[in-house]
Amino acid sequence: MTELSTPLLQVRGLTRHFPVRSGVLLRTSGQVHAADDVSFDLNVGETLGLVGESGCGKSTVGKTLLRLYEPTSGAVLFEGRDIASMNKAELRRMRRNVQIILQDPFESLNARHTIGKILEEPFIIHRLGSTAERRRRVAGLLEKVGLEAATANRFPHEFSGGQRQRIGIARAIALEPKLIVCDEAVSALDVSIQSQVINLLLELQREMNLALLFIAHDLAVVKHVSDHIAVMYLGEIIETATATEIYRSPRHPYTQALLSAIPVPDPGAGRERIVLEGDVPSPIEPPGGCRFHTRCRYAQEDCRQLKPALKPVHSGASVACHHWQSLG
Ligand code: SF4
């Protein structure tokens, strides 16, 4: 039994490197530092937004939580249990409780199967219910995500992008999980469809007391859905805080730059747009010291030499920057 206060998910020092192979013998010539020393908690019924530019490692973190990738080091605890030490039965139970919604609804749905068959699959895998019972549950799932039960006989290509993402959501909630990893789940959708899908997710979250790990590159979208936000840069978390606080007073220069790109309704009250110079450095050889120093307008000599630790600034907020207190 877990204590009531134990977070649903605890990620501790999670690191995932991918080998780079080269030459005729495909010898390992380096490592892609996809995620380095990532730590966070996620409580029952809450949403953590994981945000950063494309390639910053956020999707790697999401997939490592489901053991789609094995961690290089670090630990992932679900309901207080380290998923690396789970036996088969525990892992099976954990996989019922942790689901994922991917970015491209079309690619994640088998084009040759009807929607009914796609949605029935989780029940078959977990040996739940008779055929008639499974069909009833599929009809219920479709209605829950705003689609007619009769659409069970149709194929994925007969649906729009937004409808396919609703089907992806129906599949994710089929087994009544406790946590859903939404990996860029709305990024491929038009803005108006995005908000419909987000509203559906929030409705289901309230109804089912779901925890969401909401991964996206768009801070505006993440802010709308999240209780807390963790900002990633080149494989590392560089700032965490509540969504309100990150939006109102970002501390890390990278978070400030991401926020400055969000359009504001009143142009007179707009923030200064901070344009980041240069490209994101290679994750194969990330810069020493502060990984952001090659693009930071406040970088000083110590930033090139010393790595800033992610330090608490008060309860629930932390930042990895040597100079955040003296920045404007
Ligand atoms: Fe910029 Fe230095 Fe802070 Fe890194 S530690 S974000 S380089 S000021």
Side-chain angles (χ1 to χ4, degrees):
M1 274 225 339
T2 53
E3 296 291 325
L4 274 181
S5 56
T6 303
L8 181 69
L9 181 74
Q10 295 162 281
V11 177
R12 295 289 174 266
L14 186 68
T15 297
R16 171 67 206 200
H17 294 169
F18 294 96
V20 179
R21 300 192 196 281
S22 54
V24 183
L25 297 174
L26 293 178
R27 289 220 166 91
T28 302
S29 56
Q31 299 285 335
V32 175
H33 294 242
D36 268 325
D37 201 16
V38 169
S39 298
F40 59 82
D41 288 347
L42 178 54
N43 293 316
V44 172
E46 290 191 350
T47 302
L48 175 71
L50 195 56
V51 69
E53 285 163 294
S54 164
C56 70
K58 51 197 191 304
S59 289
T60 300
V61 170
K63 289 184 177 132
T64 311
L65 301 183
L66 283 102
R67 277 186 76 180
L68 299 177
Y69 299 140
E70 290 298 326
T72 304
S73 61
V76 176
L77 285 80
F78 184 75
E79 297 186 315
R81 293 270 294 116
D82 187 344
I83 64 167
S85 63
M86 286 181 178
N87 61 31
K88 260 188 169 173
E90 288 172 318
L91 205 53
R92 203 180 163 83
R93 203 161 46 242
M94 189 278 286
R95 289 211 159 112
R96 271 185 72 166
N97 279 319
V98 185
Q99 297 287 322
I100 189 165
I101 302 170
L102 297 168
Q103 174 176 5
D104 189 335
F106 198 56
E107 276 188 12
S108 63
L109 302 174
N110 188 330
R112 288 175 300 161
H113 288 176
T114 62
I115 297 310
K117 188 161 183 199
I118 289 169
L119 293 181
E120 206 183 336
E121 210 173 30
F123 300 115
I124 294 173
I125 292 170
H126 289 271
R127 299 191 193 100
L128 298 171
S130 63
T131 307
E133 164 81 358
R134 289 199 298 264
R135 301 231 162 110
R136 258 198 311 279
R137 287 171 88 166
V138 167
L141 281 171
L142 284 167
E143 279 166 7
K144 208 168 201 167
V145 298
L147 295 170
E148 286 177 23
T151 55
N153 297 322
R154 290 162 56 187
F155 289 87
H157 73 268
E158 298 178 64
F159 294 86
S160 68
Q163 288 172 326
R164 284 198 289 259
Q165 199 54 297
R166 285 176 187 268
I167 295 161
I169 293 170
R171 187 173 53 182
I173 60 167
L175 300 173
E176 299 178 1
K178 295 180 178 173
L179 165 65
I180 298 183
V181 175
C182 304
D183 187 2
E184 299 276 10
V186 297
S187 305
L189 304 174
D190 291 345
V191 175
S192 61
I193 309 293
Q194 258 187 9
S195 53
Q196 290 172 18
V197 172
I198 286 172
N199 287 338
L200 171 64
L201 275 170
L202 294 179
E203 223 172 86
L204 293 169
Q205 177 177 42
R206 272 192 297 274
E207 195 181 316
M208 301 171 72
N209 205 20
L210 276 168
L212 300 177
L213 178 66
F214 199 91
I215 297 171
H217 61 272
D218 184 342
L219 192 48
V221 172
V222 173
K223 180 206 167 259
H224 183 65
V225 298
S226 305
D227 298 296
H228 286 86
I229 289 178
V231 183
M232 281 188 82
Y233 183 78
L234 258 188
E236 298 178 331
I237 290 182
I238 50 92
E239 181 162 10
T240 65
T242 63
T244 315
E245 193 176 349
I246 285 255
Y247 198 70
R248 201 178 42 217
S249 46
R251 295 181 173 90
H252 196 285
Y254 178 62
T255 315
Q256 292 170 358
L258 284 185
L259 259 173
S260 78
I262 299 177
V264 286
D266 173 9
R271 299 183 172 93
E272 174 204 1
R273 174 89 158 91
I274 303 165
V275 179
L276 290 176
E277 302 292 339
D279 295 326
V280 182
S282 165
I284 299 173
E285 277 182 77
C290 172
R291 286 190 180 176
F292 187 57
H293 83 250
T294 57
R295 301 170 83 199
C296 180
R297 59 182 180 164
Y298 303 111
Q300 300 173 33
E301 196 44 41
D302 59 342
C303 305
R304 294 178 186 91
Q305 310 296 334
L306 295 170
K307 187 180 190 64
L310 185 67
K311 285 191 190 147
V313 292
H314 63 75
S315 165
S318 52
V319 63
C321 172
H322 296 307
H323 303 292
W324 70 269
Q325 280 158 308
S326 56
L327 304 181

